[in-house]
Amino acid sequence: MTLTAAPNAEPATAGEAILRRQRVRESAARTYARSFPIVPVRAAGMTVEGADGRRYLDCLSGAGSLALGHNHPVVLAAIRRTLDSGAPLHLLDLATAEKDEFTTALLETLPAEFAARAKVHFCGPAGTDAVEAALKLMQTATGRRGTLAFTGGYHGMTAGALAVTGNVAAKEALPAGGEVTRLPYPFSYRCPFGLGGEAGERVAARYTERLLDDPSGGVVRPAAMIVEAVQGEGGAVPAPDGWLREMRRITAERGIPLIVDEVQTGLGRTGAMWAVEHSGIMPDAMVLSKAIGGSLPLAVLVYREEYDGWRPGAHTGTFRGNTLAMAAGAATLRYVAANGLAERAAQVGRLLLAELNGLRGRLPVIGDVRGRGLMIGVELVDAAAEADECGARPADPALALRVREACLARGLIVELGGRQDAVLRLLPPLTITDEQVRAVLDRLADAIESVAGSRGE
Ligand code: PMP
């Protein structure tokens, strides 16, 4: 492997050289780096500036982890204050004033009834580790092993979290994992029952209830059910509130703990502080990460105290006391709450959905527009193909790839997601301005039109 330029090659810019070295030296499993071949050197709010001086509006926001966008002043101030205070930066899970303050801020924002009797477990700093902790906690508490999880669900990449994730491609290269019963997640546009709407939602709940009660259904009594209130990686699919309440009823009646994975939906993203607030359900455990660290790595499991029967060290890990993340996270939690950013996300989300639906009326390659708050998906389809009984056409991942590229060329960072990687996922910061909303819509519309137009659609 050589990293020097060929004798007559154009001299590369510093940014190009970094990208070239990355391609040579980093893993084939790298992801976002493939989608966005840029070298960010500066960022503020929603704007990212590349080494080549180009500026981008960032609708990826660190995979939904930047509630306040990049380098928000309150986050920077909290980090600087902590650095200047001489506080130790890394402390396993020892008590610190910063962790104490983070825990207070977290418990103050969580639904009051849940927080009143909750325990917080600090995990290794990734959502997937908190998912592992949640599954182990409930296995310990119930003495059972199995888990109920949903089609389209995404919970992380470590073994247990991957086992409850739906994405087949991410799993099939690996040996079989633990026993997971896969249940249908209601998805109106691509309804697994060909029904859609409330009928599809009702059948999905009925199937789950009947399966659990069927002595020949093949499901050993599980340790937990894990669910996202809005599926993120699954393609911005919101669960209907009534269906979630049904999942709560069904699990409660059968003594099955309910874990809600709010790694992506948490902290105002869906237009409520926590996505469980839309349906009003009280989970047994909530898994939190991404935004709660205010752009630094942090993950926690919060659960009802009656489950707190596991032993000291039952889920340990070295990096569970990142002082800067506690400070940045507490500042972010307080800022989102004090400035009504969940409400703002709800309001901007409604506007975006309305505008994007308008665009769908004009551009048949947009098959579906959906989401909740600032967790929005635009599914691109093959407009020439026949629609199924729910009006859905086949997803068009090749078109989506070209649209993502066209967006980047127009200064817009949008990642793809969804079952077939054909969903443009909009996850802007909750601080997005009205002007930025307009710019996102204009660039997105222009990108889709240019790509679809060039194919004669
Ligand atoms: N759960 C959900 C709902 C997620 O969206 C993600 C990440 N996209 C995870 C868990 C895993 O988090 P992490 O990537 O930090 O391990």
Side-chain angles (χ1 to χ4, degrees), residues 331-424:
T332 304
L333 282 159
R334 293 211 184 282
Y335 190 90
V336 169
N339 291 279
L341 292 188
E343 293 74 28
R344 168 80 183 152
Q347 176 209 345
V348 178
R350 276 193 296 272
L351 174 84
L352 276 169
L353 284 179
E355 293 276 335
L356 290 165
N357 266 312
L359 200 60
R360 185 170 65 102
R362 283 200 288 119
L363 300 172
V365 292
I366 300 181
D368 193 30
V369 171
R370 54 180 180 260
R372 200 155 202 181
L374 288 175
M375 202 163 163
I376 291 176
V378 177
E379 180 151 351
L380 299 180
V381 297
D382 178 355
E386 215 172 296
D388 70 10
E389 57 276 72
C390 294
R393 297 180 202 283
D396 194 339
L399 176 74
L401 274 178
R402 291 179 54 213
V403 170
R404 181 178 69 191
E405 232 171 76
C407 284
L408 196 65
R410 286 159 179 76
L412 184 65
I413 295 176
V414 187
E415 185 50 304
L416 304 178
R419 268 71 160 178
Q420 283 92 5
D421 273 332
V423 180
L424 300 164

Side-chain angles (χ1 to χ4, degrees), residues 63 126-129 131 154-157 228 233 261 263-264 289-290:
T128 196
D129 192 63
V131 169
Y154 183 91
H155 301 286
M157 284 287 123
E228 294 158 89
E233 307 306 314
D261 181 342
V263 166
Q264 193 163 142
S289 189
K290 290 199 195 271

Side-chain angles (χ1 to χ4, degrees), residues 148-219:
L148 306 174
F150 291 91
T151 49
Y154 183 91
H155 301 286
M157 284 287 123
T158 51
L162 189 59
V164 287
T165 289
N167 186 324
V168 175
K171 295 146 69 103
E172 64 190 353
L174 305 171
E179 190 170 322
V180 175
T181 302
R182 190 75 44 191
L183 298 167
Y185 193 84
F187 183 2
S188 203
Y189 184 63
R190 297 200 181 278
C191 178
F193 307 107
L195 295 167
E198 276 181 30
E201 175 191 331
R202 252 196 324 274
V203 173
R206 168 79 62 97
Y207 174 79
T208 293
E209 188 163 24
R210 292 283 160 93
L211 181 68
L212 294 178
D213 291 346
D214 183 350
S216 292
V219 183

Side-chain angles (χ1 to χ4, degrees), residues 203-272:
V203 173
R206 168 79 62 97
Y207 174 79
T208 293
E209 188 163 24
R210 292 283 160 93
L211 181 68
L212 294 178
D213 291 346
D214 183 350
S216 292
V219 183
V220 177
R221 244 156 77 83
M225 171 185 281
I226 185 165
V227 67
E228 294 158 89
V230 181
Q231 289 188 339
E233 307 306 314
V237 185
D241 294 339
W243 176 84
L244 255 188
R245 284 191 287 268
E246 277 294 272
M247 292 305 106
R248 177 64 285 189
R249 177 188 65 75
I250 290 167
T251 50
E253 286 175 3
R254 290 158 183 80
I256 301 169
L258 179 66
I259 303 165
V260 179
D261 181 342
E262 290 241 27
V263 166
Q264 193 163 142
T265 50
L267 205 48
R269 171 66 49 198
T270 68

